Amino acid sequence: MPLGKRVRSSSAAGRLETLHVCSILSELGSKGHSGENVTNAARRVGVSEDRKEQPEWMVRELLKQTRRRHSLTFGDRVDIMRQPRYTDDSSHGLKVHFENHSDFMNCLIDEKISLDSLQNLKLAFEDFETGGSRSIDARNFEHIVRRCLGLPKTSNAQIQWLFKKIDYSGQGRISWSQFSAHVLQEYKEKEETVRRRKHVAFALPATTRSRGHGSPIINIHHNQDGTIITVREDGAVCYWSPELKPLMTKNMFIEESTNRKSKWASDFTLMKEYNKLMIATGDREIQFYELSTLEPYCQINALDTVPLSLDYGYTGADNCCILYGDTEGCVNIILISSAEDTLRLWNKFPKIGNIPNTAIDSAVLSPNVTFVRWKVHQDWVTQVKYLPSFQAVVSSSNEEASSLVIGCMLPLMDAEQQLIEIREACYEGKTKKVQLNWTPQVRTSCEQRIFTIYKGVKAFDICERHSLLVTGGMDKNVRMWNSHYCGNPAGILKGHSAPVTYLFISSEDSKILSVSVDGTVKIWDIGDQCCLFTADPKASGIHGAISACSYSSSVKSLYIAADSMAVLSLKIRPKLHSRLTVSHDEPVTCCGYSSEFRQVVSCTEGSVVKVWDFDTGRQVFEFCASYDLSGITCMTFDPKGSRLVTGGKDGFLKIWNFNNGQCLKTLQKDGVARDVCDCVFLKVHKNSYVMSVGRDRKIDIYYDIPEDPHHVQRPQPSWQDDLMSGHKEDILCVAHCPPSLLATGSYNGEIIVWNVVSGRVHSRFVSPLPAEHQNVEGLDTSVPSIIFLKNSKLRQFSSATALLSSGAVGCINLWNVLSGGKFVCSFQASRFQQKITKMSKMDKEAMLYAADQVGYIYVYNIEKFGLDPNLKPPRAENFWRAHTSRVTGLQIVDNDQVLLTSSTDFTVRLWSAHGEFIGTFGQSESWSIHICSSWMHPSVPYEVLIDPLSMPDHGILTVKTCFSSINNNKTEVGREKLKLSGILTSYRTTEQ
């Protein structure tokens, strides 16, 4: 279709649009099995419920088609929908394009095809053995897939599309091993994609603060205002801010006489409803302090055993309970009604030392206090917790037989009635003295649920919302249980190499946090039962024995007490505005278009590669290109567009089958490898090569031999001219001009044109500086983009080769390559004098597209450019703001007359050749390239619209008034600063 031409639906192009709508409809309507073909999808067009789910533009187009095709029957329209869509590709002739390959693969991956069918398919492959080669061609592949997999309604184009993706090398034949490897690889990458989307991580290393000299911290709790409270074993209480800034420290224990051992704390907890802090001590005491002032309030002493673990629960209506586990394996429960009055009464008792005191024997005589003691374990109680919804107590120990027990708080039936009688006797004022019986009771089987776990339990947590219980202990495993069933665990999470000492369930995030005694922190996904993140002590910087941990859901931070206090904060992804759409979760570094599959591939700093459907904007596939997440810096396709080549910050080049995420080859040089900045795939005579440039300032050349069995490939020897007289600075870009020219541009502005056949320098030149900036220090002269203009419509280059390069202060320079690198002329392309980062040119038109590092796209007609140096520089035919930050990818898709762009603002976008906004890849509503009503135009990206730099330069906006003169001055100053920054700022993004 000619650029900008509007066509009627009755024309050939109009029919193409009509067929394309049906193709999209079939994709939207298809669910699961591809055998539910477009017939059902077409029939659903008339259903009002499904029509609500269709995009508005599609409804409009379907209504138009109904009016246009009034003479066709319903069945005729279905037949039209069944027809494949054809695209005009001058290089490949007429080509069938099918969009539902993913539906076909889902049949395989989602286990909708039986194992017997796959076995039959394997046998069918073996039946086609010819000459010892277990491979078949496309026609036979189509035949056996239909026969063996039971997919009679699957289209021919669908099967052929799968065949092409498996046959990435273009040999025309595939084997059973290639087929099965493709399916398994795609399944694996889809699993990894799901896991990657759930990925969470702590910011490393941890923020640490000295906890002071003395005893270890016994526990960590959080106050309602976000304050972190710690208590050391020697009784020192410290208040911290969420960022671990010390706020207050006080020692709660008075100094004892020298002939007696010092008092020590075993655990503490908070009574937030009563503003109290409770500390259990080794002297068999439970002490209460004012939470705000840390002043002593009261204490209960003369407990029969030492309380090891302490918990508190508010039961409502001024009632509460205090729980503690002791050294005899007992769980002790103190139930307090009218708790505020009871505590106030205890505060009036005589003091021992500096704190009012009451013995437990006297405390239980109060009608408001009930004491229950259960014999639960045969070993020390490691943790105790109150469950308010169940009104139950959970306790654990290192003993296997009763590792964890969920039991009732009060005895049932007759024992409960006895307690009621005791209370009534106290209310009536009878003189009968009730003796406190320290003999523990034993629960019946109906009063408790016992979990038997190998090597016992050191830590647990329970989520009442999901009925999930997790346990950890000496066997280093984290077990997941249904809290209502004590049989076998629902899952076992393995990965720790030391005993697990702390667990926390984040129910809102469906995550589990675990900490082992060696300082390793892990985050697990509850649904997938897999580890999402691991921080070892070396990475986190947490050293020493772990004495206490606590996770704060409000600030998403894990606090750990070891040799120092440390906090690990979760990396929180910023919540985007509802109108914002992003293609990736990190900056996009490059993008490209594959004409073979009509797909767009984009890569990011986080080493994530996404494959998009060019015709709809939907994501097709995704994989991670590096396990260490080293960023991808550049990419290119092989000449056919079936293989992807990526370069990264790790200095490696990798060749991919991007349809299933399989790494076919790794291209790397010996020794220390530095960042790859750009790469190109070229053919010289009959040989194919991959060339890369980067921080090592040399050109690396690799043979491309798909059938080579070696996975790792080393480069060819460097050219002598490259070693002796090559670039002296980092090489930022490379461009190829068939058959034999190659150009490279470097950080210092030098451009070298090479003869790839001889390896000699053809010409060398340095970017000139504008006259007004000759003496400016720190001027950015780097060359991030160059393109050849061979066989262009430039009148002065009818028989020569031209080269365009990005220059200083937003300029574009024109060179005559075949005249020894002669400089022709230059013009300023960026309205803000920002560096031009990417350039692209139409094949059949003299239209140049240039992008700068603030997101603007400029369109220039360069047909007459350079004819007369005295003529005015070309004016932009059109310009628009495509992104809010540096443009990292720019490609013209000539056959469709659209422009593909990517940016560090996390987006990949598609535009018409006139700058009309088609859409952002990954948006909720799909588009159709050939149907303008499906585009986002006339709207623009929301973030571009609200960005201050997008404000138009109009005279009325600069009119000064008494209210706006100050703001206008600031705006002008801001624009001048932006221009100045574009001139003076060095190319820092490239250095990074």
Side-chain angles (χ1 to χ4, degrees):
M1 185 189 303
L3 179 63
K5 182 178 179 181
R6 301 292 181 179
V7 295
R8 296 175 55 195
S9 60
S10 57
S11 65
R15 294 191 187 97
L16 181 63
E17 292 180 359
T18 302
L19 294 178
H20 193 66
V21 175
C22 299
S23 177
I24 297 176
L25 178 62
S26 65
E27 181 174 356
L28 290 176
S30 61
K31 300 288 184 181
H33 199 291
S34 59
E36 184 184 341
N37 64 357
V38 290
T39 303
N40 293 332
R43 290 174 181 172
R44 287 196 292 269
V45 174
V47 183
S48 59
E49 295 180 359
D50 287 346
R51 181 173 294 178
K52 295 179 182 178
E53 300 176 358
Q54 298 166 2
E56 293 181 3
W57 64 265
M58 182 178 293
V59 176
R60 292 196 302 268
E61 289 297 325
L62 289 173
L63 291 176
K64 293 178 184 177
Q65 292 165 33
T66 302
R67 291 196 297 270
R68 293 171 191 152
R69 300 184 176 275
H70 55 84
S71 61
L72 297 180
T73 64
F74 186 79
D76 291 333
R77 183 157 58 89
V78 171
D79 292 336
I80 292 174
M81 290 182 178
R82 287 176 178 172
Q83 296 178 25
R85 185 172 59 79
Y86 295 88
T87 58
D88 182 16
D89 190 334
S90 58
S91 61
H92 295 85
L94 203 61
K95 180 177 65 175
V96 177
H97 171 64
F98 188 81
E99 297 179 275
N100 287 337
H101 161 68
S102 58
D103 295 338
F104 178 54
M105 287 303 300
N106 288 338
C107 294
L108 298 174
I109 293 175
D110 296 340
E111 300 179 2
K112 296 181 180 179
I113 294 177
S114 67
L115 186 60
D116 291 338
S117 298
L118 286 178
Q119 184 67 31
N120 292 335
L121 183 64
K122 180 182 178 182
L123 295 175
F125 266 91
E126 295 176 352
D127 290 341
F128 277 92
E129 288 186 18
T130 54
S133 175
R134 295 188 177 184
S135 61
I136 61 176
D137 56 18
R139 186 176 61 83
N140 288 322
F141 177 72
E142 177 185 339
H143 174 72
I144 66 171
V145 164
R146 290 183 179 282
R147 178 168 54 86
C148 299
L149 298 187
L151 302 175
K153 296 181 180 180
T154 304
S155 67
N156 296 341
Q158 199 170 10
I159 300 176
Q160 293 297 325
W161 199 248
L162 174 61
F163 184 88
K164 289 173 64 177
K165 290 191 173 185
I166 300 174
D167 182 30
Y168 57 84
S169 59
Q171 296 180 353
R173 306 184 69 86
I174 63 173
S175 63
W176 166 254
S177 61
Q178 290 175 313
F179 173 83
S180 57
H182 178 87
V183 175
L184 292 174
Q185 182 70 26
E186 187 166 344
Y187 175 72
K188 173 186 174 183
E189 292 299 336
K190 286 188 175 183
E191 276 194 328
E192 288 296 325
T193 298
V194 174
R195 186 175 303 179
R196 188 162 48 250
R197 289 175 181 172
K198 297 179 179 181
H199 178 72
V200 292
F202 285 115
L204 299 176
T207 301
T208 57
R209 295 288 185 274
S210 174
R211 62 174 178 80
H213 299 287
S215 304
I217 293 174
I218 58 171
N219 211 339
I220 305 172
H221 284 284
H222 314 272
N223 203 359
Q224 294 173 336
D225 60 359
T227 305
I228 310 302
I229 304 174
T230 63
V231 175
R232 291 203 316 243
E233 196 175 274
D234 58 5
V237 178
C238 185
Y239 283 20
W240 311 76
S241 71
E243 297 78 23
L244 289 187
K245 295 180 180 179
L247 303 177
M248 179 175 63
T249 302
K250 183 177 180 180
N251 198 316
M252 313 305 293
F253 299 156
I254 61 173
E255 295 183 0
E256 303 290 346
S257 58
T258 56
N259 59 351
R260 187 181 174 205
K261 291 183 178 180
S262 298
K263 184 178 294 188
W264 55 277
S266 57
D267 198 4
F268 88 99
T269 191
L270 305 180
M271 302 176 69
K272 296 179 181 178
E273 289 79 9
Y274 302 100
N275 196 37
K276 298 292 184 291
L277 181 146
M278 272 193 306
I279 299 179
T281 73
D283 290 348
R284 297 182 296 166
E285 301 166 338
I286 299 177
Q287 299 183 339
F288 300 81
Y289 296 88
E290 290 286 355
L291 189 57
S292 54
T293 62
L294 296 181
E295 291 298 321
Y297 193 79
C298 63
Q299 77 172 11
I300 301 175
N301 72 343
L303 304 177
D304 188 58
T305 53
V306 175
L308 297 178
S309 57
L310 191 65
D311 195 31
Y312 156 82
Y314 183 73
T315 57
D318 198 24
N319 298 330
C320 68
C321 62
I322 300 172
L323 320 172
Y324 68 90
D326 59 26
T327 55
E328 294 184 1
C330 296
V331 175
N332 304 269
I333 306 171
I334 303 176
L335 300 170
I336 306 175
S337 57
S338 302
E340 191 168 351
D341 293 336
T342 302
L343 291 174
R344 191 178 297 113
L345 176 64
W346 291 350
N347 179 251
K348 300 182 182 298
F349 286 174
K351 294 184 178 181
I352 295 181
N354 64 338
I355 185 169
N357 177 77
T358 179
I360 184 64
D361 293 337
S362 302
V364 298
L365 295 177
S366 169
N368 297 332
V369 179
T370 302
F371 181 84
V372 180
R373 191 172 192 222
W374 296 105
K375 179 63 176 178
V376 182
H377 306 282
Q378 302 300 320
D379 200 354
W380 290 7
V381 178
T382 57
Q383 188 179 346
V384 65
K385 188 172 185 177
Y386 170 67
L387 293 181
S389 61
F390 297 119
Q391 293 187 354
V393 181
V394 186
S395 59
S396 63
S397 74
N398 290 322
E399 173 208 5
E400 287 189 27
S402 56
S403 304
L404 185 136
V405 178
I406 303 177
C408 61
M409 296 181 62
L410 292 173
L412 304 177
M413 306 304 290
D414 296 340
E416 183 177 0
Q417 184 63 33
Q418 292 176 7
L419 289 175
I420 294 175
E421 293 176 359
I422 293 175
R423 293 196 192 98
E424 290 177 351
C426 295
Y427 274 120
E428 294 171 0
K430 297 180 181 180
T431 58
K432 176 183 176 182
K433 184 175 181 179
V434 180
Q435 295 286 347
L436 179 64
N437 185 8
W438 284 104
T439 303
Q441 303 180 57
V442 178
R443 293 190 184 109
T444 62
S445 59
C446 64
E447 295 175 330
Q448 64 183 358
R449 191 176 301 120
I450 301 176
F451 295 79
T452 301
I453 302 169
Y454 178 64
K455 291 190 176 180
V457 173
K458 290 183 68 69
F460 69 85
D461 194 20
I462 191 166
C463 174
E464 302 173 45
R465 174 181 171 187
H466 294 99
S467 298
L468 175 65
L469 168 71
V470 291
T471 62
M474 296 297 295
D475 71 339
K476 310 170 188 177
N477 294 330
V478 177
R479 288 176 171 84
M480 304 169 59
W481 308 78
N482 183 335
S483 58
H484 300 285
Y485 176 68
C486 56
N488 296 321
I492 300 178
L493 310 178
K494 299 182 179 181
H496 280 288
S497 55
V500 178
T501 187
Y502 175 78
L503 289 167
F504 178 83
I505 301 174
S506 178
S507 58
E508 62 273 16
D509 300 325
S510 297
K511 304 290 187 296
I512 299 172
L513 282 76
S514 61
V515 183
S516 56
V517 295
D518 62 351
T520 300
V521 180
K522 288 183 176 290
I523 303 177
W524 311 82
D525 181 75
I526 294 177
D528 291 340
Q529 298 185 10
C530 63
C531 182
L532 302 177
F533 176 79
T534 299
D536 55 31
K538 184 177 180 180
S540 64
I542 301 174
H543 303 290
I546 305 293
S547 60
C549 298
S550 181
Y551 181 77
S552 173
S553 300
S554 58
V555 295
K556 303 289 185 182
S557 297
L558 177 66
Y559 296 87
I560 300 176
D563 288 349
S564 59
M565 273 293 293
V567 56
L568 287 168
S569 300
L570 277 178
K571 293 181 180 178
I572 306 298
R573 293 179 178 175
K575 291 187 177 180
L576 298 175
H577 190 279
S578 58
R579 295 185 181 181
L580 298 183
T581 299
V582 296
S583 309
H584 288 268
D585 295 326
E586 54 267 330
V588 184
T589 56
C590 51
C591 69
Y593 169 72
S594 169
S595 58
E596 177 75 5
F597 300 106
R598 287 186 68 82
Q599 291 176 339
V600 170
V601 177
S602 56
C603 308
T604 71
E605 288 183 355
S607 196
V608 174
V609 179
K610 288 189 177 182
V611 183
W612 310 90
D613 182 13
F614 174 75
D615 292 291
T616 63
R618 292 178 173 178
Q619 182 177 335
V620 176
F621 192 60
E622 174 185 339
F623 63 94
C624 187
S626 175
Y627 290 107
D628 59 0
L629 302 181
S630 59
I632 297 174
T633 56
C634 58
M635 59 162 282
T636 188
F637 290 102
D638 69 354
K640 289 188 58 179
S642 59
R643 290 179 295 157
L644 173 71
V645 182
T646 61
K649 291 184 177 180
D650 55 5
F652 295 169
L653 286 169
K654 293 183 179 180
I655 303 179
W656 305 86
N657 179 351
F658 59 89
N659 287 297
N660 63 5
Q662 179 186 3
C663 181
L664 306 174
K665 281 189 185 298
T666 299
L667 314 179
Q668 66 181 85
K669 45 194 307 189
D670 295 320
V672 178
R674 304 188 66 186
D675 299 16
V676 176
C677 295
D678 201 2
C679 60
V680 64
F681 209 113
L682 66 155
K683 210 165 188 181
V684 181
H685 302 308
K686 294 184 180 180
N687 297 322
S688 297
Y689 301 90
V690 178
M691 291 190 179
S692 65
V693 295
R695 302 285 181 199
D696 59 2
R697 306 175 183 179
K698 295 290 182 279
I699 301 174
D700 295 323
I701 307 169
Y702 301 87
Y703 272 119
D704 175 48
I705 307 175
E707 58 273 13
D708 185 357
H710 298 91
H711 181 76
V712 178
Q713 187 172 329
R714 304 298 178 186
Q716 299 298 306
S718 298
W719 294 331
Q720 286 300 313
D721 280 13
D722 189 19
L723 295 174
M724 304 300 296
S725 57
H727 287 281
K728 306 303 180 186
E729 288 287 345
D730 299 347
I731 307 176
L732 305 179
C733 58
V734 60
H736 178 228
C737 178
S740 60
L741 292 184
L742 184 80
T744 54
S746 66
Y747 182 81
N748 61 358
E750 183 182 33
I751 300 173
I752 301 179
V753 180
W754 308 81
N755 186 317
V756 295
V757 177
S758 63
R760 298 291 184 179
V761 173
H762 178 277
S763 56
R764 182 195 306 265
F765 33 89
V766 178
S767 301
L769 299 179
E772 61 272 23
H773 300 292
Q774 290 288 342
N775 299 321
V776 177
E777 294 183 2
L779 194 66
D780 182 8
T781 61
S782 61
V783 183
S785 180
I786 50 178
I787 59 171
F788 281 99
L789 299 178
K790 186 180 180 182
N791 298 327
S792 68
K793 290 188 177 182
L794 295 182
R795 297 180 183 178
Q796 73 278 27
F797 292 102
S798 58
S799 61
T801 300
L803 178 70
L804 288 178
S805 66
S806 55
V809 295
C811 291
I812 293 178
N813 301 321
L814 177 62
W815 309 84
N816 189 334
V817 175
L818 298 185
S819 298
K822 178 183 176 181
F823 174 72
V824 178
C825 60
S826 175
F827 73 97
Q828 185 169 312
S830 173
R831 65 188 299 223
F832 288 112
Q833 300 184 12
Q834 295 291 306
K835 175 70 68 175
I836 297 298
T837 58
K838 291 293 178 181
M839 292 184 293
S840 185
K841 179 191 167 294
M842 286 187 170
D843 288 341
K844 302 177 181 179
E845 303 288 339
M847 304 299 295
L848 174 70
Y849 289 76
D852 64 17
Q853 56 186 8
V854 292
Y856 273 92
I857 306 292
Y858 305 91
V859 185
Y860 290 92
N861 188 333
I862 57 174
E863 184 174 356
K864 299 180 181 180
F865 180 42
L867 275 177
D868 187 353
N870 297 322
L871 292 178
K872 292 183 179 180
R875 293 188 59 185
E877 300 283 331
N878 189 13
F879 69 91
W880 69 92
R881 189 91 185 273
H883 299 274
T884 56
S885 61
R886 172 185 169 87
V887 176
T888 58
L890 183 69
Q891 183 176 348
I892 299 171
V893 182
D894 287 278
N895 290 337
D896 297 276
Q897 293 289 289
V898 296
L899 183 70
L900 174 66
T901 64
S902 65
S903 170
T904 53
D905 64 2
F906 301 10
T907 60
V908 183
R909 293 193 171 117
L910 205 59
W911 311 82
S912 73
H914 296 298
E916 297 165 322
F917 182 37
I918 297 177
T920 300
F921 286 93
Q923 66 184 30
S924 58
E925 186 173 337
S926 60
W927 65 69
S928 174
I929 293 296
H930 302 290
I931 303 179
C932 299
S933 59
S934 70
W935 299 356
M936 299 299 294
H937 180 75
S939 64
V940 297
Y942 180 73
E943 58 270 36
V944 172
L945 181 66
I946 64 176
D947 192 85
L949 195 56
S950 302
M951 184 68 68
D953 236 350
H954 196 278
I956 197 172
L957 300 177
T958 61
V959 175
K960 294 185 178 181
T961 66
C962 58
F963 298 103
S964 64
S965 59
I966 297 178
N967 290 333
N968 284 334
N969 290 335
K970 289 182 178 179
T971 303
E972 292 300 323
V973 170
R975 290 182 182 273
E976 291 301 322
K977 285 183 177 179
L978 177 61
K979 292 181 179 181
L980 188 62
S981 67
I983 298 171
L984 298 179
T985 303
S986 63
Y987 206 62
R988 293 175 183 169
T989 54
T990 308
E991 287 183 297
Q992 295 172 354

